Amino acid sequence: MKRYPILVLIVLHVLTILPSCQSASMSGSPPTTPVEIVYEVYVRSYCDGNSDGIGDLPGLISKLDYIHDLGATAIWLMPVHPSPSYHKYDVTDYYTIHPDYGTMTDMDRLIKEVHQRGMKIILDLVINHTSSEHPWFVASTSSPDDPHRQYYVWKDYEEVKDAIFKKSATFDSDNLTQWHEWPGDAERYYGFFWKGMPDLNFDHPPVLEEVYAIGKFWLDKGIDGFRLDAAKHIYPDDRFDDTRRFWEEFTTTMRTYNPEVKIIGEVWADPFMLAKLFKGLPSLFNFELSKAIPEAILMGDAGKFISVWESIRRTYNASAVPFEDALLLSNHDMNRIGSTLGGDPGKSKLAAALLLTLPGTPYIYYGEEIGMLGVKPDIHLREPFPWDENPLMNTRWEKPVYSVSPQVLSLADQMKDPASIYHHYKKWIAIRKENPVLHSGTLTFRDMQNNAVLSYTVGDDTTTCWVVHNLSDNEVSFPIMDPATNLVTGQAIQAHDVLEVPAQTSAIVRFGDK
C-alpha cells in the first residue's frame, strides 16, 4: 500500500506556554555544569597495539584522536586491573594494570594524552567485591585467625543455612546462592554475584581504609573520577541506609583529594531508591529511561517515553538534592541498542538523536556510534570494534557474531558514507556541544496532536531549542512563527516557514539567537 505524507499544522510560538504542555524541570542540575559526553571503552575489544589480538592501552592511545574528533569529552575505562576473567570485574590487584592491557607506564601515558586533548578519564572501580584470587581473600581462607579474615564476611553454617538459597535473581545478578563453601572450611563466605566474587566487609574499618587508599592512589595518578560498579550492594539489601551512608562518606573523602572528582554510580533500582542516593552518588545511570527510549521508538508511541520521563523527573526533583542525570541507550550489561531496535539503522539514529537532546550527561557505549549489534550473553555485547578490514588493527580475542559485515560496516567504510550512523552521531554530538542549553535547560513537552511525534523544548532564559522526533512512517510538517535556526542543516528559518520532518527522523530548531 502506498503511504501518503500527513501534513500536520501545529503553530509553535516558543514564547507562549500552551496549557497542554507538560514541563519537566531540571532544577536538580546546576546550570553552570559544562557539557559532557562520556565514551565507554572496553579496552580488550577496542584496538590492538601489539598485534597479539587483544586490545590494550597503547592501542587505545592510538585512537584518542578518533574519540576526541567524535566529540567525546571524557572516556570511561571498563576495568583494567589484573583479573582472572575476560571482563575484569573480579580484581586481584587494584594498584597495577593487567599485563594483557599494558603497564603502569602505559596508563600514565594514557592519562597524560587524554588530558592533553582536553578530555577526562573515568576509571571503573570495583569495590563491592574482589576476586577469590585476590591476596586478601586467599589469606582469609588460610586461617580463621588471619587478619584478612575480617576483610570478608564469613559466618558459621548454622547462622546462614536458611539464607543460602533465598537470594532472588535480579537484573544485575542471576546468581541464586549468596553463601558459598570453601574447601576444608566450616564457615561460609558471602558473595552476592557468585563464589568467585566474595564481597568485602565494609563493617571492618581496615577495609574502608584500603578502599579510600585505592581511590586516592588513582586520583593522585590523574584519574578524574570513578564509575562505581555494583554500588547498590556495599551492604546487603536490608541495610540500604548503611550503603547510602557509605557512599556519602566515600564521596566526601574523594573530594578532599580532588574537589572536582566525578562520581557515577551503577544502581539497578527504581527512581525512588536512586533519589535517596544522590547525596553520596551525585550521578546515577538512568536505566528506566534507557528502556523507555526503544519502547517508544518500536511502538511509535511518544507517550511511552513521556510518562516515564515525567515520573522519574518528579521523583528526582522531590529529593531536593543536586544531581546529574547519566543517560544511556545501552552498555556492557545490556543488549546493544541496535539489536534492541531490530538492526534498523533508522531507528538507531532516532535513538541517538533522542539521547543527545535530553538534559543530563549522555554515555555512549563503544561501537554504538557505528551501529554495533549484540545480545546476551555478555561476551557478545563486547565484541571487537571493526576499525577496517585490516586484521592487524582489529582485536581478535573473540570472533564477532553480531557486529559483522554487511550488518555492521567497519568505521573506515562508514566514514566514506555521509549518511552512515557514524556521521549521524558525530553531527548530533556537535549540535549538543554547540548548544549547552540541551545539557542543563528545562525540558517541556509539546502536544503535537499526534502521539507518533515526540516533541519538546529545552530552554533557559536566553535560548530555546525545539526538538521533534518523528516516530511514524509518514512525514510531518509544522509551521514556525518566529525566526530560528535549523541546527541540522545550519540554515536560517524565517517566520511562517514550514519545518518538514521525514518519517523516522529527528529535527532541532533553535530560537533566541541575538
Side-chain angles (χ1 to χ4, degrees):
M1 179 185 298
K2 185 174 181 180
R3 298 178 182 270
Y4 294 92
I6 299 175
L7 180 65
V8 182
L9 297 177
I10 300 291
V11 176
L12 180 75
H13 194 300
V14 297
L15 300 181
T16 301
I17 303 299
L18 302 177
S20 59
C21 291
Q22 300 167 292
S23 296
S25 170
M26 282 295 293
S27 60
S29 183
T32 56
T33 303
V35 175
E36 290 192 335
I37 296 165
V38 183
Y39 189 77
E40 179 187 359
V41 174
Y42 178 43
V43 174
R44 189 176 187 86
S45 286
Y46 203 60
C47 184
D48 179 11
N50 61 4
S51 300
D52 66 354
I54 298 173
D56 49 38
L57 297 183
L60 173 57
I61 291 169
S62 75
K63 297 301 181 184
L64 290 180
D65 285 340
Y66 162 73
I67 297 172
H68 182 263
D69 184 61
L70 181 67
T73 63
I75 297 173
W76 155 21
L77 290 183
M78 289 173 63
V80 294
H81 303 303
S83 162
S85 69
Y86 81 93
H87 52 71
K88 306 288 181 283
Y89 278 97
D90 43 352
V91 176
T92 61
D93 186 344
Y94 290 98
Y95 294 96
T96 59
I97 302 299
H98 194 288
D100 284 350
Y101 290 176
T103 65
M104 190 60 80
T105 299
D106 294 324
M107 188 67 180
D108 290 338
R109 182 184 164 213
L110 173 65
I111 295 170
K112 179 180 178 181
E113 296 270 2
V114 167
H115 289 162
Q116 284 179 345
R117 289 165 175 80
M119 298 189 294
K120 296 180 180 179
I121 185 165
I122 298 165
L123 187 67
D124 216 318
L125 191 60
V126 188
I127 57 174
N128 156 257
H129 56 264
T130 70
S131 168
S132 59
E133 297 180 20
H134 194 289
W136 297 342
F137 187 76
V138 173
S140 81
T141 67
S142 65
S143 167
D145 298 323
D146 188 279
H148 289 94
R149 185 77 165 190
Q150 294 185 67
Y151 275 45
Y152 300 87
V153 183
W154 289 86
K155 290 191 176 182
D156 184 79
Y157 171 75
E158 291 298 322
E159 290 184 74
V160 300
K161 65 180 181 180
D162 294 333
I164 290 174
F165 297 108
K166 283 192 175 180
K167 180 179 179 293
S168 300
T170 59
F171 187 90
D172 55 358
S173 172
D174 57 6
N175 171 50
L176 300 178
T177 306
Q178 54 191 345
W179 291 96
H180 309 282
E181 294 182 83
W182 190 260
D185 202 309
E187 293 187 322
R188 301 289 180 104
Y189 65 92
Y190 183 74
F192 179 84
F193 289 99
W194 76 296
K195 65 181 181 179
M197 294 178 172
D199 282 32
L200 287 167
N201 177 15
F202 284 86
D203 286 323
H204 189 48
V207 168
L208 297 177
E209 294 173 8
E210 295 276 11
V211 165
Y212 297 150
I214 291 165
K216 183 178 187 302
F217 173 83
W218 286 104
L219 291 177
D220 288 346
K221 277 277 181 187
I223 290 294
D224 299 291
F226 303 109
R227 178 267 185 189
L228 297 157
D229 183 67
K232 179 184 176 184
H233 304 297
I234 295 301
Y235 294 93
D237 287 350
D238 60 357
R239 296 181 60 185
F240 174 77
D241 283 342
D242 290 330
T243 294
R244 176 182 54 78
R245 282 189 287 269
F246 165 77
W247 286 121
E248 291 173 8
E249 182 179 318
F250 175 88
T251 295
T252 298
T253 303
M254 293 303 108
R255 284 174 175 167
T256 66
Y257 306 140
N258 177 359
E260 303 300 321
V261 63
K262 189 172 179 66
I263 300 288
I264 311 101
E266 181 215 25
V267 176
W268 295 89
D270 63 68
F272 295 98
M273 181 176 288
L274 299 186
K276 294 177 181 179
L277 292 168
F278 283 140
K279 187 175 179 181
L281 295 169
S283 185
L284 289 161
F285 290 109
N286 197 330
F287 293 117
E288 289 297 312
L289 206 64
S290 71
K291 292 186 289 185
I293 290 173
E295 183 176 351
I297 292 172
L298 288 169
M299 299 184 69
D301 185 350
K304 297 293 184 182
F305 176 84
I306 294 171
S307 61
V308 173
W309 172 274
E310 294 248 333
S311 175
I312 293 171
R313 196 57 47 178
R314 283 194 300 268
T315 302
Y316 283 6
N317 287 341
S319 72
V321 177
F323 65 90
E324 178 187 328
D325 207 357
L327 308 166
L328 73 166
L329 297 176
S330 60
N331 69 7
H332 60 277
D333 286 325
M334 307 159 66
N335 290 346
R336 282 189 174 270
I337 186 63
S339 290
T340 300
L341 294 173
D344 185 325
K347 288 183 171 63
S348 290
K349 289 179 179 180
L350 262 177
L354 213 171
L355 174 76
L356 292 164
T357 52
L358 295 174
T361 296
Y363 284 70
I364 298 172
Y365 187 35
Y366 84 94
E368 210 165 78
E369 76 277 17
I370 59 170
M372 283 182 67
L373 306 174
V375 299
K376 284 180 173 285
D378 288 352
I379 198 166
H380 294 311
L381 312 178
R382 307 167 189 181
E383 292 185 350
F385 187 101
W387 295 100
D388 60 18
E389 300 304 323
N390 179 359
L392 295 179
M393 182 170 286
N394 301 335
T395 68
R396 305 182 305 282
W397 72 275
E398 177 73 8
K399 184 177 181 180
V401 175
Y402 294 95
S403 294
V404 294
S405 182
Q407 288 82 8
V408 178
L409 298 179
S410 70
L411 174 67
D413 287 336
Q414 293 200 31
M415 282 184 164
K416 300 171 188 174
D417 179 7
S420 69
I421 189 170
Y422 161 75
H423 283 290
H424 178 85
Y425 262 87
K426 190 172 179 182
K427 177 72 174 182
W428 283 86
I429 289 172
I431 288 172
R432 183 178 186 87
K433 293 177 72 175
E434 291 163 3
N435 296 273
V437 70
L438 293 171
H439 173 78
S440 56
T442 297
L443 185 149
T444 303
F445 291 110
R446 317 301 300 194
D447 185 357
M448 297 288 101
Q449 305 297 313
N450 181 347
N451 203 41
V453 175
L454 175 59
S455 176
Y456 46 87
T457 57
V458 185
D460 57 21
D461 293 339
T462 60
T463 305
T464 297
C465 287
W466 176 42
V467 184
V468 178
H469 304 291
N470 182 3
L471 312 181
S472 76
D473 294 330
N474 301 292
E475 180 180 283
V476 292
S477 300
F478 305 98
I480 296 178
M481 299 305 294
D482 296 313
T485 302
N486 185 327
L487 297 181
V488 176
T489 65
Q491 296 177 334
I493 299 175
Q494 304 303 319
H496 304 291
D497 279 357
V498 174
L499 176 68
E500 296 179 347
V501 188
Q504 294 194 349
T505 62
S506 301
I508 181 167
V509 172
R510 183 179 63 214
F511 297 87
D513 294 345
K514 303 298 182 182

